């Protein structure tokens, strides 16, 4: 049963992922915007964030009335067509007595993550914060009666962790005029796909816009608002949210799924583009195959897989926003915490190659487009990825991260700068550089110091790589 989940999940997400990937590949670079670049400084340096999908859906945890509900945990209301009146009852059971915000922040810090983004309201419409705009919130509708976002915001402030809020601006299955709930309230649009059948602006003005304002006024400095699935979000509607953000907290970042221009690009879920970009971007990703907790999903990625994805993303100029799905009791599953802490220990020794690091000056290491015009499972041109090594940069330094032992001496791709010296990052052990016929190689001690990923620093003359 569990083995089927990845396929199902990929099928649910494929259309969005494809669209986002296409946008990533084809969008022209945006004009330089000094204010935006200043807002983005911490984001570009941080590289690695914790996504948290937590809400009422953690109670059914993938099963509705004894039936396994297929797809993502947080989509259970939609997948099982649960009527609003029935779904609302979950709130009367929500009592996360084991929720300890300090422990969550500690975990993010141990993992080496530099920001947290938590679901403040997902598509089910339930607010995980006290809201005057809707009684369907954690304080007014649950026996727990406490504002979990406030508790997390306080813990983050105390521990110097940046906090952002996911907010589903468009889909709201609890509201008759929000997008997405077709089983209670009928289709959002007429068969032409354009004519709106709901009073969508009424919903936006009565709930979504005021709630975003609440998030920006009651929880201290908000690092970013993570909007999602911009169905029916015209640029004008998106702009109303952007104005609220800019007028309330000018330094708060807006992700790439608002429906109008944000501060950075968001890829599709679990999508890592094949090429580097100097424009800020972020890949939201699951640690197993769901975002919201499902009791049957234990398909955890290994620490090695995560370390690879992180360095791969950084070498292409992006950020990795990696999700955990806490249980209804408020516990981040131990298995996911263990994986994160293992990567965190690797980052303690090797973080210099990640935080604040620049993109690869090469690109050949990413792989290549299929020369046979083959298509991938999404019908896109097939990219044959190569996962042996990646490179990141800082002034005067190249960081070569190896994910498997090079089978021969490693040849440094040609650059004009003089190469000065090489050493392993984790223990500073020197590595001899050998130059013959204008080609420089080094040979790493075997077995590799860290079989998961070993970083070799190559220092060169000058600040920037000259090719
Ligand atoms: O539908 C959501 C999904 O539940 C989840 O929140 C992800 C996270 O990127 N965003 C949407 C699908 O792309």
């Amino acid at each position: 049963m569990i083995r089927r989940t990845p396929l199902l999940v990929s099928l649910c997400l494929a259309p969005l992922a494809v669209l986002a990937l296409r946008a990533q590949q084809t969008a022209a670079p945006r004009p330089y915007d000094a204010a935006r670049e200043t807002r983005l400084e911490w984001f570009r340096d941080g590289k690695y964030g914790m996504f948290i999908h937590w809400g009422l859906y953690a109670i059914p945890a993938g099963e509705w009335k004894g039936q396994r509900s297929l797809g993502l945990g947080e989509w259970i209301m939609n997948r099982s067509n649960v009527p609003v009146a029935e779904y609302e009852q979950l709130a009367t059971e929500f009592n996360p007595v084991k929720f300890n915000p300090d422990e969550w922040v500690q975990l993010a810090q141990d993992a080496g993550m530099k920001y947290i983004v938590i679901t403040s309201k997902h598509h089910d419409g339930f607010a995980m914060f006290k809201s005057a705009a809707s009684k369907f919130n954690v304080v007014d509708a649950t026996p727990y009666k406490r504002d979990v976002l406030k508790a997390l915001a306080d813990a983050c402030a105390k521990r110097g962790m940046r906090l952002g809020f996911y907010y589903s601006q468009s889909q709201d299955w609890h509201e008759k005029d929000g997008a997405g709930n077709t089983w209670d309230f009928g289709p959002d649009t007429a068969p032409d796909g354009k004519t709106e059948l709901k009073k969508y602006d009424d919903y936006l003005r009565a709930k979504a816009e005021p709630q975003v304002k609440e998030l920006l006024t009651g929880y201290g400095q908000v690092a970013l608002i993570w909007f999602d699935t911009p169905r029916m979000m015209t640029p004008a509607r998106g702009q109303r949210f952007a104005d609220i953000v800019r007028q309330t907290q000018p330094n708060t970042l807006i992700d790439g799924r608002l429906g109008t221009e944000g501060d950075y690009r968001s890829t599709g879920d679990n999508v890592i583009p094949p090429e580097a970009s100097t424009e800020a971007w972020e890949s939201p990703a699951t640690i197993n195959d769901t975002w919201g907790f499902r009791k049957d999903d234990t398909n955890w990625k290994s620490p090695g897989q995560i370390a690879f994805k992180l360095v791969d993303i950084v070498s292409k100029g992006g950020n990795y926003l990696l999700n955990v799905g806490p249980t209804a009791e408020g516990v981040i599953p131990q298995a996911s915490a263990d994986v994160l802490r293992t990567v965190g220990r690797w980052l303690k020794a090797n973080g210099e190659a990640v935080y604040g690091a620049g993109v690869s000056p090469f690109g050949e290491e990413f792989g290549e487009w299929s020369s046979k015009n083959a298509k991938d499972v999404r019908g896109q041109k097939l990219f044959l990825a190569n996962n042996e090594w990646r490179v990141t940069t800082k002034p005067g330094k190249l960081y070569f991260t190896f994910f498997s032992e090079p089978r021969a001496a490693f040849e440094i791709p040609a650059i004009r700068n003089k190469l000065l010296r090489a050493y392993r990052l984790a223990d500073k052990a020197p590595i001899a550089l050998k130059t013959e016929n204008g080609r420089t190689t080094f040979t790493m001690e075997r077995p590799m110091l860290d079989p998961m990923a070993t970083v070799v620093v190559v220092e060169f003359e000058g600040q920037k790589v000259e090719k």
Side-chain angles (χ1 to χ4, degrees), residues 339-371:
V339 169
L340 293 183
R341 284 204 163 91
T342 304
V343 179
R345 280 191 291 278
W346 181 84
L347 278 165
K348 259 204 164 3
N350 296 286
E352 188 187 316
V354 169
Y355 305 117
V359 299
S360 166
F362 310 120
E364 65 207 46
E365 70 276 22
F366 299 147
E368 58 190 344
W369 295 101
S370 161
S371 57

Side-chain angles (χ1 to χ4, degrees), residues 12-290:
C12 303
L13 299 181
L16 192 81
V18 169
L19 284 178
L21 179 59
R22 252 185 235 147
Q24 178 80 25
Q25 285 170 344
T26 54
R30 299 189 291 180
Y32 180 79
D33 174 340
R36 184 174 66 221
E37 286 308 317
T38 306
R39 280 198 292 279
L40 278 167
E41 267 169 24
W42 70 264
F43 180 84
R44 284 189 185 272
D45 281 354
K47 304 292 182 199
Y48 191 27
M50 175 182 274
F51 214 173
I52 304 177
H53 275 65
W54 196 35
L56 297 182
Y57 38 79
I59 300 172
E63 187 179 306
W64 195 257
K65 294 188 173 164
Q67 294 290 311
R68 186 169 181 245
S69 175
L70 301 180
L72 302 167
E74 71 282 6
W75 273 73
I76 193 162
M77 181 180 180
N78 175 298
R79 293 277 177 251
S80 295
N81 286 351
V82 183
V84 168
E86 246 180 78
Y87 192 85
E88 274 180 342
Q89 292 309 306
L90 289 175
T92 65
E93 293 171 45
F94 191 72
N95 196 15
V97 287
K98 294 192 180 156
F99 170 53
N100 182 334
D102 287 301
E103 277 177 12
W104 287 16
V105 181
Q106 186 63 55
L107 172 62
Q109 283 175 331
D110 291 349
M113 291 162 150
K114 302 296 185 187
Y115 58 109
I116 293 176
V117 181
I118 186 168
T119 45
S120 63
K121 184 202 82 166
H122 204 267
H123 310 329
D124 64 358
F126 181 73
M128 296 290 277
F129 58 103
K130 167 79 178 160
S131 173
S134 164
K135 287 264 173 247
F136 193 44
N137 74 69
V138 68
V139 177
D140 294 322
T142 75
Y144 191 62
K145 293 192 188 337
R146 272 169 276 167
D147 185 329
V148 295
L149 294 197
K150 184 79 179 75
L152 186 62
D154 291 346
C156 284
K158 199 165 70 190
R159 288 159 180 265
M161 173 65 73
R162 290 176 197 272
L163 178 65
F165 297 124
Y166 171 108
Y167 189 87
S168 174
Q169 78 279 26
S170 177
Q171 292 200 71
D172 190 318
W173 305 329
H174 186 258
E175 307 303 326
K176 69 176 179 16
D177 292 316
N181 185 338
T182 52
W183 56 99
D184 281 311
F185 307 123
D188 296 342
T189 54
D192 64 9
K194 284 189 198 133
T195 312
E196 293 178 6
L197 301 177
K198 291 176 178 168
K199 293 183 190 145
Y200 185 58
D201 278 303
D202 286 2
Y203 148 74
L204 292 178
R205 293 200 192 276
K207 183 170 178 183
E209 291 171 25
Q211 285 197 331
V212 168
K213 179 101 189 187
E214 287 174 335
L215 290 168
L216 289 159
T217 40
Y219 300 86
Q221 176 64 49
V222 177
L224 58 86
I225 302 278
W226 215 97
F227 296 103
D228 201 6
T229 62
R231 293 187 191 177
M232 303 204 285
M233 288 300 292
T234 57
R237 285 168 172 160
Q239 194 54 47
R240 299 211 300 260
F241 285 98
D243 290 345
I244 292 169
V245 176
R246 295 283 176 259
Q247 283 158 16
T248 322
Q249 290 206 25
N251 294 327
T252 299
L253 295 176
I254 297 173
D255 75 328
R257 296 188 183 178
L258 171 57
T260 191
E261 198 178 76
D263 288 303
Y264 61 85
R265 293 220 183 114
S266 304
T267 70
D269 296 343
N270 290 303
V271 170
I272 302 178
E275 285 153 357
S277 159
T278 50
E279 220 169 295
W281 61 272
E282 179 184 60
S283 175
T286 50
I287 195 166
N288 44 353
D289 294 307
T290 179

